[in-house]
Amino acid sequence: ITGVYHCGIRFSGGSVKVTGNKIGTKAKPVSYPPIYVTEANSYVKNKKDTRKAESVTGGCVDSNTIYTPYDKSNNGAITVYGKSVLSSISRNTIRSDKGTGITIGVRSKVANVKGNTVTASARGAIFITGSTVTSVDGNTLTTAVSSGSRGAVCVYSKSRLTSVSKNKVKATKGTGIVIGSGCTAKNVNSNTITAPAKSGIYLTGCTATNVNSNTI
């Protein structure tokens, strides 16, 4: 999928597996989030002025190849919003020159963010806000985000994680891993963080039970 003005693939409601797609090239990028998982509003039968939100109830986003220069707000090459539920975001290869690689927000739930390769320059590689994620494990992430409070892995707004582990992170202008105020991350371990211009791991106002065996 190349050159479309809006999203490459967008789905809302129900369950779907999005796998093996190639979206965007440097010559013909996709302007909005290439893969967008979100809720939609539908009219309730016989009550046209009343809307009912339909959220994604299951599925995965695995093994896709994405290029995008999209940089609006915090949206990423793969964006998950609106109480969406996914089993995995895994083994994707993402180049996001101006924005974020993977964004999970607005009370969504994702079991595993695993084995992704993300090159993202401006806003971070994995951005989680107000959501629940079981594991962010085994990802290879490169970012040039320059804010000290924003990292290659960034967890904000009372998000809940079980583990952030075995990730390979190169943060050439900023911080490697950020766990922000009100968040919980039980295990932050066995990550390798190379060349952080600011902090390797930055914890502020959060609960992190085990932070060990990291190489910075």
Side-chain angles (χ1 to χ4, degrees):
I1 301 173
T2 60
V4 296
Y5 175 70
H6 217 272
C7 304
I9 298 171
R10 174 172 174 161
F11 67 96
S12 54
S15 176
V16 66
K17 296 180 180 180
V18 180
T19 63
N21 302 284
K22 295 182 180 180
I23 304 177
T25 64
K26 191 171 184 179
K28 294 183 178 181
V30 175
S31 297
Y32 282 72
I35 296 178
Y36 195 17
V37 183
T38 184
E39 68 180 6
N41 290 324
S42 62
Y43 286 111
V44 177
K45 188 176 182 180
N46 298 326
K47 294 182 180 180
K48 292 185 178 181
D49 293 332
T50 302
R51 292 190 172 212
K52 179 183 178 182
E54 296 178 344
S55 298
V56 174
T57 57
C60 64
V61 180
D62 295 345
S63 302
N64 301 283
T65 300
I66 299 170
Y67 172 89
T68 180
Y70 185 68
D71 64 350
K72 184 179 179 181
S73 185
N74 292 319
N75 292 342
I78 297 172
T79 296
V80 181
Y81 272 160
K83 299 181 182 179
S84 298
V85 177
L86 293 177
S87 61
S88 64
I89 301 173
S90 67
R91 302 183 304 278
N92 298 286
T93 300
I94 299 169
R95 177 178 170 180
S96 179
D97 282 355
K98 296 181 180 179
T100 304
I102 298 169
T103 295
I104 302 168
V106 193
R107 292 172 288 176
S108 292
K109 294 182 179 180
V110 179
N112 299 300
V113 181
K114 184 176 182 180
N116 300 284
T117 299
V118 182
T119 302
S121 63
R123 295 180 181 272
I126 298 174
F127 184 74
I128 300 168
T129 176
S131 296
T132 300
V133 177
T134 304
S135 65
V136 178
D137 293 352
N139 301 283
T140 300
L141 313 172
T142 302
T143 180
V145 61
S146 59
S147 171
S149 62
R150 187 85 179 243
V153 177
C154 192
V155 183
Y156 275 168
S157 301
K158 299 182 180 180
S159 293
R160 300 287 182 265
L161 282 79
T162 301
S163 70
V164 181
S165 66
K166 298 180 181 178
N167 299 288
K168 295 181 180 179
V169 178
K170 187 174 183 180
T172 57
K173 291 186 178 180
T175 300
I177 296 171
V178 176
I179 312 294
S181 181
C183 296
T184 299
K186 291 184 179 180
N187 301 298
V188 182
N189 53 35
S190 301
N191 300 285
T192 300
I193 301 170
T194 304
K198 295 184 170 68
S199 300
I201 298 173
Y202 179 33
L203 311 174
T204 174
C206 63
T207 299
T209 308
N210 299 300
V211 181
N212 53 50
S213 303
N214 298 286
T215 300
I216 303 172

